[in-house]
Amino acid sequence: MAIEFNTIQKEGLSVQIANAIRDAILEGRLSSEERLPSEAELADRFGVSRSTVREALKRLAAQNLIRSERGSSGGAFVNRLTWSEAQGNLVTTTRLLIGMNDIPLEDAIEARFALEAAALPLAAEKCAGDDLSAMRREIDRQRDPLTSDEEFCASDVTFHSVIARATGNPLLTFQLSAAFEAMQPLMNMLVYRLRDRERIADLHEALAVALERQDGAGASISLESLCAYTRELAAQRRGPKKD
């Protein structure tokens, strides 16, 4: 375990210790499932009290970076962060940033579609039969008149998440799926009274056809049409500009 100690100051010791351990985890100097030294050992290494170390460990546990286990073989261990946990954290953070900072709907639309557009060529190249089948199922669900607005929204997110998965890149899938899950429900919630569900399903159909043909350029055109329609809905919601 290699942690820099010389940056520890007298003020905010628990925060600085937590940050030092966190940096060691992020930089790979502490591995997943590795056991941390005991509170007494950490207190001695950092030159602080055990209560200060305990507070630092609580901070790390609150960030889900470590966990504590009881028993003779227990102690504090570095957590292995799963993709689903990380995605959940990113979705929550994105939603909070949008909600707390009054991000305009138009900015969210721009960001959400720019991210997907960047990944479309790779998705078109690698899209497989299972991905196409999954997209078709969602389109059928979207065309079903018995599908509720909430179910339509969930299907919309799933459809685009399949495109993210089709890239075959786990980091892209993680980033894109989190963006869709964070932003798409917000857009749907704001414009669902105005949208034409059949038109959206048609746009999804065109996108799926282009991906099936491995036509990245055609997929980009279809996605741009979907983006333009979303912008149109946002403009209708906003209403006419006042002079």
Side-chain angles (χ1 to χ4, degrees):
M1 174 183 176
I3 302 176
E4 296 293 335
F5 306 118
N6 55 3
T7 59
I8 303 301
Q9 307 296 324
K10 291 184 178 179
E11 186 176 359
L13 290 174
S14 64
V15 174
Q16 293 179 62
I17 293 170
N19 288 342
I21 297 175
R22 182 198 61 195
D23 290 345
I25 294 172
L26 296 178
E27 293 167 10
R29 290 179 281 120
L30 281 171
S31 304
S32 296
E33 303 302 328
E34 183 173 344
R35 181 180 180 179
L36 297 181
S38 68
E39 288 182 3
E41 291 175 293
L42 287 172
D44 183 60
R45 292 191 188 191
F46 284 105
V48 297
S49 67
R50 290 183 62 175
S51 62
T52 299
V53 169
R54 196 172 298 120
E55 181 62 30
L57 296 179
K58 286 180 181 179
R59 289 177 177 274
L60 292 168
Q63 296 172 41
N64 203 32
L65 290 174
I66 67 169
R67 69 182 186 280
S68 295
E69 295 184 1
R70 297 181 179 276
S72 58
S73 60
F77 293 83
V78 178
N79 271 338
R80 180 181 296 278
L81 186 63
T82 66
W83 289 105
S84 60
E85 288 171 336
Q87 183 171 318
N89 291 338
L90 184 56
V91 168
T92 299
T93 300
T94 303
R95 287 177 177 170
L96 287 173
L97 284 172
I98 293 173
M100 293 181 170
N101 292 278
D102 297 322
I103 303 297
L105 177 58
E106 290 75 10
D107 286 357
I109 292 171
E110 181 179 59
R112 174 251 177 278
F113 282 101
L115 288 169
E116 187 169 8
L120 270 187
L122 191 58
E125 177 187 341
K126 297 186 175 183
C127 196
D130 289 346
D131 301 319
L132 294 167
S133 296
M135 283 188 274
R136 296 291 183 191
R137 283 196 299 272
E138 296 309 322
I139 293 170
D140 289 343
R141 187 171 291 118
Q142 292 159 22
R143 294 193 189 280
D144 187 344
L146 296 179
T147 297
S148 68
D149 284 322
E150 292 79 8
E151 291 168 339
F152 186 93
C153 176
S155 177
D156 198 352
V157 172
T158 300
F159 175 85
H160 291 282
S161 294
V162 172
I163 294 177
R165 187 181 70 202
T167 65
N169 184 305
L171 284 173
L172 271 177
T173 301
F174 163 69
Q175 295 283 353
L176 290 173
S177 296
F180 299 152
E181 190 174 339
M183 290 185 271
Q184 196 68 41
L186 169 66
M187 297 174 195
N188 283 330
M189 179 182 68
L190 294 175
V191 302
Y192 80 96
R193 294 182 185 278
L194 303 171
R195 72 187 174 197
D196 181 338
R197 289 179 20 168
E198 197 63 28
R199 182 173 176 183
I200 292 174
D202 287 344
L203 290 167
H204 285 168
E205 180 78 34
L207 184 52
V209 168
L211 291 172
E212 184 175 19
R213 295 173 178 171
Q214 295 187 314
D215 180 5
S220 295
I221 292 172
S222 297
L223 185 67
E224 180 55 39
S225 297
L226 182 59
C227 178
Y229 181 53
T230 307
R231 290 180 185 275
E232 178 186 323
L233 293 175
Q236 288 180 35
R237 176 182 177 274
R238 187 174 60 248
K241 293 182 179 180
K242 296 181 180 180
D243 296 329

